[in-house]
Amino acid sequence: MDFACLWLGLLLPVAATLDFSYHHQDEMEEFLKKVAQNYSSITHLHSIGKSVKGRNLWVLVVGRSPKEHKIGIPEFKYVANMHGDETVGRELLLHLIEYLVTNDGKDLEITNLINSTRIHIMPSMNPDGFEAVKKPDCFYSNGRENGNFYDLNRNFPDAFEFNNVSRQPETVAIMEWLKTETFVLSANLHGGALVASYPFDNGVPATGTVHSRSLTPDDDVFQYLANTYASRNPNMKGDQCKNKMNFPNGITNGYSWYPLKGGMQDYNYIWAQCFEITLELSCCKYPREEKLSSFWNLNKASLIEYIKEVHLGVKGQVFDQSGNPLPNVIVEVQDRKHICPYKTNKFGEYYLLLLPGSYTLNVTVPGHNPHLTKVIIPKNSQDFSALKKDILFPFRGQLDSIPVSNLPCPTIPLYRNLPSHSAATKPSLFLFLVTLFHVLFKYSKM
């Protein structure tokens, strides 16, 4: 063999090799550590905490600046295996990691995605549950719950009713993790059905429960996001699970499917300013290994396309008249305020996921009059970047004059005492939003 070719081969990253089989904790750790070692310039492996039985909750970050946030680069995350016996998502995320790192510099779309996005991937939120499954089953196994026999998707604070359960180590780790990053978009991978489910999972009359649904102020965006994933998965938009509920276009409002208290996607949206949907990706919770390759082929395009949606809408920084970035400033669209207001991070950054259209941003600093500014998000928004709109607030003050808080609202049922006359829940407006969505979705496919 030519010596020069051999030397060049030693300089290039060693391709991560991953077979289509189930990878237990030791095997998963070995794979993740190998990727982090071989692709150290674009990856960062860290544990956000420990499970009940002391297993690491691993997160692999992929991006040009994997170890720290960069201004203007949105943070995205995937979390899988929250229920230990729902296993497809766990393996899909391992293969997604391999696909991303081995195609950087070779595939233009993947290279642009890594250039413009910081991607956090957690293959297993419930490693104890996965290891507890002794006899895999399509419908239920004893590994669904964590090591203390708690369902982790019923374990978060709830915005609609008190959820007085013992907060589990895995749940606490997620909640603390959300405080450390400015996550913009997320998905939580499950199994047992074929559908993309969007918030809210719980509700009150003010969010539309009298109409058998529970809608967020951003319902149009959530329907678009769910459709983005489902429309690219042939099974989700077509052949769905036998003897189970069918979902039009492969999407559903969470509450319309079944009410759920203490869920993770509602917590993300309300308290972490992160839009999260739940992806049910297999009729069988724990399918045979030989089917894993087909699941990857069915979901690969959806997984990539969904990450790109983190660049939807508008982003920017808020500055005072002296050019200092202002943290903890409320930045919201005038007609879609959140019950826990969305605020700028410590760098004065804001990210708002919005569909093409004209909007008025309401920028508010406590003790000062609101500052209104209009933005128009074009239909042909540039890929891999939201519209950039920096805001100069007519306010002079030091950076430390406004307290920094990533989770400014108490984790109590914030919706509990709202009157049941929210405009977002009126049938007429709901139909308008659905119609608008279909028009936009049709345009996006052209």
Side-chain angles (χ1 to χ4, degrees):
M1 179 182 289
D2 186 276
F3 181 77
C5 291
L6 176 61
W7 180 248
L8 180 61
L10 292 174
L11 292 177
L12 293 173
V14 179
T17 55
L18 188 71
D19 59 354
F20 285 101
S21 64
Y22 286 113
H23 298 84
H24 287 264
Q25 185 75 3
D26 290 344
E27 299 167 300
M28 182 179 72
E29 288 185 2
E30 182 182 0
F31 169 75
L32 293 174
K33 289 176 180 179
K34 184 182 295 184
V35 169
Q37 178 182 358
N38 293 339
Y39 298 90
S40 58
S41 65
I42 60 167
T43 65
H44 172 56
L45 179 64
H46 66 111
S47 172
I48 65 163
K50 301 272 190 178
S51 69
V52 169
K53 296 188 176 181
R55 294 183 172 96
N56 278 304
L57 304 176
W58 292 111
V59 173
L60 188 89
V61 187
V62 182
R64 291 289 170 242
S65 177
K67 292 184 179 180
E68 62 180 356
H69 175 74
K70 291 294 185 183
I71 292 173
I73 302 296
E75 308 283 344
F76 175 93
K77 65 181 169 71
Y78 274 133
V79 176
N81 203 210
M82 184 182 202
H83 293 143
D85 63 337
E86 297 173 13
T87 57
V88 170
R90 175 187 176 109
E91 297 303 324
L92 288 180
L93 292 191
L94 293 178
H95 283 278
L96 176 63
I97 288 169
E98 181 185 55
Y99 186 78
L100 291 173
V101 299
T102 58
N103 282 282
D104 181 38
K106 300 176 184 177
D107 181 285
L108 182 60
E109 180 182 51
I110 298 304
T111 304
N112 285 336
L113 198 59
I114 293 173
N115 287 343
S116 61
T117 320
R118 192 159 173 251
I119 306 163
H120 305 248
I121 300 175
M122 175 185 275
S124 182
M125 181 181 164
N126 185 7
D128 293 351
F130 180 82
E131 299 298 333
V133 178
K134 303 304 179 187
K135 293 183 179 180
D137 189 88
C138 275
F139 303 105
Y140 179 81
S141 301
N142 59 351
R144 175 183 174 89
E145 292 86 10
N146 76 339
N148 284 334
F149 304 102
Y150 279 83
D151 186 329
L152 296 177
N153 206 30
R154 310 292 189 278
N155 197 241
F156 285 83
D158 193 88
F160 303 96
E161 54 186 312
F162 287 102
N163 191 25
N164 298 319
V165 295
S166 175
R167 211 71 68 209
Q168 294 302 292
E170 298 89 347
T171 308
V172 173
I174 293 287
M175 292 170 65
E176 292 302 311
W177 183 34
L178 295 178
K179 296 177 184 178
T180 67
E181 303 287 356
T182 307
F183 287 115
V184 179
L185 181 62
S186 174
N188 179 16
L189 281 59
H190 286 250
L194 279 173
V195 68
S197 173
Y198 55 89
F200 288 123
D201 276 331
N202 205 351
V204 291
T207 60
T209 57
V210 292
H211 303 294
S212 300
R213 59 177 180 258
S214 186
L215 307 183
T216 72
D218 299 291
D219 188 64
D220 56 339
V221 178
F222 273 117
Q223 289 198 42
Y224 170 82
L225 292 170
N227 252 300
T228 294
Y229 196 97
S231 65
R232 288 164 178 81
N233 182 317
N235 282 359
M236 291 178 78
K237 67 179 182 180
D239 299 329
Q240 296 180 0
C241 305
K242 295 179 180 179
N243 302 320
K244 291 190 177 182
M245 182 177 178
N246 283 328
F247 303 97
N249 300 315
I251 73 170
T252 185
N253 173 252
Y255 185 93
S256 295
W257 188 9
Y258 60 90
L260 160 60
K261 179 173 70 173
M264 187 163 71
Q265 71 176 10
D266 284 6
Y267 181 85
N268 268 267
Y269 176 70
I270 291 169
W271 281 292
Q273 303 186 184
C274 177
F275 284 44
E276 179 168 289
I277 66 173
T278 299
L279 300 171
E280 301 277 354
L281 300 179
S282 60
C283 299
C284 179
K285 288 176 179 285
Y286 202 135
R288 298 191 304 273
E289 285 184 333
E290 54 264 34
K291 293 191 174 183
L292 290 176
S293 62
S294 65
F295 281 115
W296 169 245
N297 291 330
L298 288 167
N299 286 278
K300 180 174 70 172
S302 295
L303 288 165
I304 298 299
E305 194 65 28
Y306 186 76
I307 298 174
K308 290 164 62 176
E309 297 304 332
V310 76
H311 299 287
L312 190 70
V314 61
K315 66 181 181 182
Q317 287 177 279
V318 180
F319 299 96
D320 65 15
Q321 288 184 344
S322 300
N324 300 310
L326 294 175
N328 214 34
V329 173
I330 297 172
V331 182
E332 303 223 276
V333 175
Q334 197 168 29
D335 60 351
R336 55 176 75 202
K337 295 181 179 179
H338 302 97
I339 194 144
C340 182
Y342 279 25
K343 297 186 177 184
T344 55
N345 64 13
K346 64 182 180 180
F347 304 107
E349 287 180 290
Y350 72 94
Y351 295 86
L352 295 175
L353 296 180
L354 297 166
L355 297 180
S358 179
Y359 302 92
T360 299
L361 302 185
N362 190 325
V363 186
T364 307
V365 172
H368 298 266
N369 293 327
H371 175 69
L372 302 181
T373 183
K374 289 189 175 182
V375 295
I376 298 176
I377 300 172
K379 291 182 179 179
N380 57 342
S381 297
Q382 185 178 357
D383 286 342
F384 306 109
S385 179
L387 176 70
K388 191 172 187 298
K389 175 71 173 179
D390 290 337
I391 299 169
L392 182 64
F393 196 84
F395 165 78
R396 288 190 180 275
Q398 297 299 317
L399 200 63
D400 58 3
S401 66
I402 304 172
V404 178
S405 174
N406 286 338
L407 290 177
C409 298
T411 50
I412 60 173
L414 301 172
Y415 276 96
R416 193 175 180 88
N417 297 317
L418 279 189
S420 58
H421 56 66
S422 170
T425 67
K426 293 181 180 179
S428 58
L429 183 55
F430 175 76
L431 292 175
F432 168 76
L433 290 174
V434 172
T435 303
L436 176 63
F437 163 76
H438 283 301
V439 170
L440 291 170
F441 182 65
K442 180 179 179 182
Y443 176 86
S444 70
K445 293 183 70 178
M446 293 176 62

